[in-house]
Amino acid sequence: MSIELKGVTKKFGDTTAVNRVSFTVNEGELMALLGPSGGGKTTVLRMIAGLEVPTEGDIFIRGQRVNDVSVQKRNIGFVFQNYALFKNMNVFKNIAFGLKIKGWKRRDIEARVAELLEIMDLAGFEKRFPHQLSGGQRQRVAIARALAPKPTVLLLDEPFGAVDAKIRQELREQLVTLHSELNVTTIFVTHDQEEAMEVSNRIVIFSRGNLEQIGTPREVYEQPANEFVARFIGVMNVLDTEVRGGVARVNELQFPAAGQPDGTKLRIGFRPYAVQISPDLGLFPYRAVLRHTFFLGIMLRLELELPSGLILRSRMTKEEYAQLGLEDGREVSLRVRNYRVLASEDAPLPPEMESNAHRRPTIAEHI
Amino acid sequence: MAGAVTNRRSASHGKLPRGTEESAFAKWTLILLALAFCLVFLLLPLVNVFAQAFAKGWDIYWRALTHPDSWAAIRLTLIVAAICVPLNVLFGLAAAWAIAKFEFRGKALLITLIDLPFSVSPVVAGLMFIVLFGAQGFFGPWLTEHNLQIVFAVPGIVLATVFVTFPFVARELIPVMQATGSEQEQAALTLGANGWQTFWHVTLPSVKWGLIYGVILCNARAMGEYGAVRVVSANIVGETQTMPLRVESLNDQFQAPAAFAVASLLALLALGTLVLKTIMEWKQARDFAQAQSLQLSAVSGQPGRQD
């Protein structure tokens, strides 16, 4: 176990930025701290680094309590969001800085810097100054500088925030490769769920200072602990329904809810991919009009309007779209393949329901 | 990257004017106006000072400067500047650091206080020190008792000059430090540097140019201050007479060539600092250019990645 937080709280004046957060990061893990801005994730990262002091709770690095250990002595590597390269030093001196401070011999420094330049694909750039580098190069220098003194853990604050979309993708892949090569425990902060899912082994999700869930990308996607996580990890259709006669209803939509007394309010959620569409109006129980198609690369997002005005979101690949012969304004039939009843934010979510397992809702008028 | 920007700009300077560009008439009127102003009010008087100084030949010029009283004035001016400038650097760094990096109550008041010497007439500043340290002044009796002289002596001149030059370094540093922020320093801390190493290797170099400008302005003012020094120095020839005072008294005694000789030296001292700064800037530009070109040859030699 590389890093452990136990009941860590951080208050800035009256506001609680981080509220009794506990989790552990295993040796060699690549961990994402995910959440909307203001969620407290950067504060957690800075507390691990020692740039902020916890108001309550303990932080351990490799079993040693580090609350009172200064940032200089924690042996962490920190990559700042805007890289914070030393503007007056060239690439070589930037990377060598930590080694010089630690009193390494000149020959060792040169060897280590050369090694990092090679790993980070920066060979030939050592004489350049930060303002003469591109955004991606600057970040690679920042990572090399943080890695140079061989830190126990590498901490990155929004590492892909300051570059454009194309380089983002490249940097993500680079971080994964780097991590698998060096196997250094790595924690990074991001507000982008897709980024967290793609890059990390495990994700810690924060909202308003609270730890909402911790798990592998698959776990948080398939078994979200609460509605916040369910909504935050991927788009979700969320509907407030009321039970009448064992069926949860909202407008024309119906979901089986046997055993629930009449009048019970149920919040139901389903992923866009669970909304199945057909141009054959008789195939699925509900009718809708395809209002808009959003092109997101190979995936498309569809906005469907039911006769009552209810809007549902669906997702499909370009090929499926073409196969079905869909276009904006077209009338289609649809069904919700599976869904889950969303619990209140504290209680865990019940397992996902298969619409198929139940009797098809009896809505004869739509067929 | 810089190259691309330049290209784009020069391309847009063809026949077709950019939408935001002023008419050629407005452009040239403004340029000529600025040039004419500089010529009449800056360059012409400066040239005149040197012309007058050398009007009677090199010999007279040299003799005017080596006259014991002039020599004393030159020495005194250099001493005063040598004390004031370091004090100002220390104070300016401390004040700028406090204002740029910390949040505290009374920050606005501190900023106003730093500006105070700019808004007070130097003569008033001089009088303040007379009121404080003169024989009839607040600390006068105590000073007499301990046989210490401040006004009408070198300490008074130094005090008055420090007061007048107070804002220069701080004023130049505050915006630079605020713009730099504290991330670079935090980065140094995460890499194991202590406070002093961080200051020396990171903070100071990052505010270098602001500091140099501040020092140049401070130095020029410290050497050239007249009003405040005139009041506290009593203008004793050979003892408390600085170069500006010496210029004035020579001029009063109808020794124009000598007055201009000392004046030209004063101007030269100020110009010297400007030249030094320009050389430093030029050297840095050359270093950057060298780094860039080295890099380019390295890239053509091997397929390095360019994002």
Side-chain angles (χ1 to χ4, degrees), chain A residues 145-193:
Chain A
R145 181 179 70 177
L147 284 174
K150 303 188 172 164
T152 320
V153 55
L154 180 64
L155 307 169
L156 304 101
D157 187 7
E158 292 277 1
F160 316 114
V163 288
D164 57 63
K166 183 176 156 273
I167 300 169
R168 272 176 99 93
Q169 188 56 40
E170 214 176 289
L171 290 173
R172 284 185 202 179
E173 284 159 19
Q174 175 145 6
L175 185 60
V176 174
T177 318
L178 188 74
H179 179 260
S180 61
E181 275 172 14
L182 303 178
N183 213 24
V184 59
T185 312
T186 305
I187 306 176
F188 73 99
V189 158
T190 178
H191 60 265
D192 182 339
Q193 41 88 15

Side-chain angles (χ1 to χ4, degrees), chain A residues 49-310:
Chain A
L51 293 166
E52 304 282 359
V53 181
T55 316
E56 281 165 40
D58 298 314
I59 297 173
F60 299 87
I61 296 180
R62 284 192 178 155
Q64 187 204 354
R65 185 174 175 276
V66 293
N67 286 46
D68 308 318
V69 178
S70 71
V71 51
Q72 289 98 332
K73 300 244 154 66
R74 288 198 191 184
N75 194 32
I76 49 99
F78 200 100
V79 178
F80 289 81
Q81 185 172 3
N82 297 308
Y83 316 138
L85 295 178
F86 304 130
K87 288 198 187 72
N88 56 295
M89 298 180 202
N90 61 27
V91 171
F92 182 94
K93 285 184 176 160
N94 262 285
I95 300 174
F97 185 84
L99 307 175
K100 240 171 95 181
I101 292 292
K102 290 195 165 57
W104 282 38
K105 290 204 177 61
R106 219 183 116 175
R107 204 178 314 142
D108 299 337
I109 292 178
E110 277 169 9
R112 178 70 177 150
V113 174
E115 183 188 353
L116 282 159
L117 288 168
E118 198 55 50
I119 295 171
M120 299 309 296
D121 201 5
L122 285 164
F125 288 79
E126 52 265 44
K127 289 268 164 58
R128 274 218 183 177
F129 287 86
H131 73 268
Q132 297 170 324
L133 300 173
S134 70
Q137 290 166 344
R138 275 179 214 171
Q139 189 185 45
R140 298 210 294 274
V141 175
I143 294 176
R145 181 179 70 177
L147 284 174
K150 303 188 172 164
T152 320
V153 55
L154 180 64
L155 307 169
L156 304 101
D157 187 7
E158 292 277 1
F160 316 114
V163 288
D164 57 63
K166 183 176 156 273
I167 300 169
R168 272 176 99 93
Q169 188 56 40
E170 214 176 289
L171 290 173
R172 284 185 202 179
E173 284 159 19
Q174 175 145 6
L175 185 60
V176 174
T177 318
L178 188 74
H179 179 260
S180 61
E181 275 172 14
L182 303 178
N183 213 24
V184 59
T185 312
T186 305
I187 306 176
F188 73 99
V189 158
T190 178
H191 60 265
D192 182 339
Q193 41 88 15
E194 211 174 293
E195 198 166 282
M197 306 275 275
E198 183 181 326
V199 174
S200 64
N201 305 142
R202 279 201 301 158
I203 303 177
V204 191
I205 298 166
F206 292 94
S207 112
R208 281 174 278 134
N210 295 306
L211 194 157
E212 300 289 349
Q213 189 173 3
I214 178 163
T216 64
R218 193 169 176 159
E219 277 163 8
V220 296
Y221 190 81
E222 292 182 349
Q223 295 152 39
N226 55 40
E227 188 185 339
F228 173 81
V229 176
R231 279 179 187 256
F232 195 73
I233 302 289
V235 190
M236 204 169 210
N237 293 293
V238 176
L239 301 171
D240 285 312
T241 66
E242 202 179 318
V243 177
R244 258 182 295 119
V247 177
R249 300 161 198 266
V250 56
N251 295 2
E252 55 270 76
L253 291 181
Q254 303 193 2
F255 303 90
Q260 297 279 356
D262 279 11
T264 309
K265 304 241 189 276
L266 285 182
R267 181 168 279 185
I268 281 175
F270 43 91
R271 301 272 180 214
Y273 67 75
V275 178
Q276 231 178 342
I277 300 176
S278 168
D280 174 2
L281 296 180
L283 190 60
F284 296 132
Y286 307 110
R287 285 200 196 178
V289 174
L290 175 55
R291 279 280 168 239
H292 287 292
T293 307
F294 299 92
F295 290 86
L296 316 165
I298 46 164
M299 288 302 282
L300 304 177
R301 200 178 87 212
L302 280 58
E303 223 174 72
L304 298 150
E305 189 178 342
L306 279 79
S308 63
L310 197 67

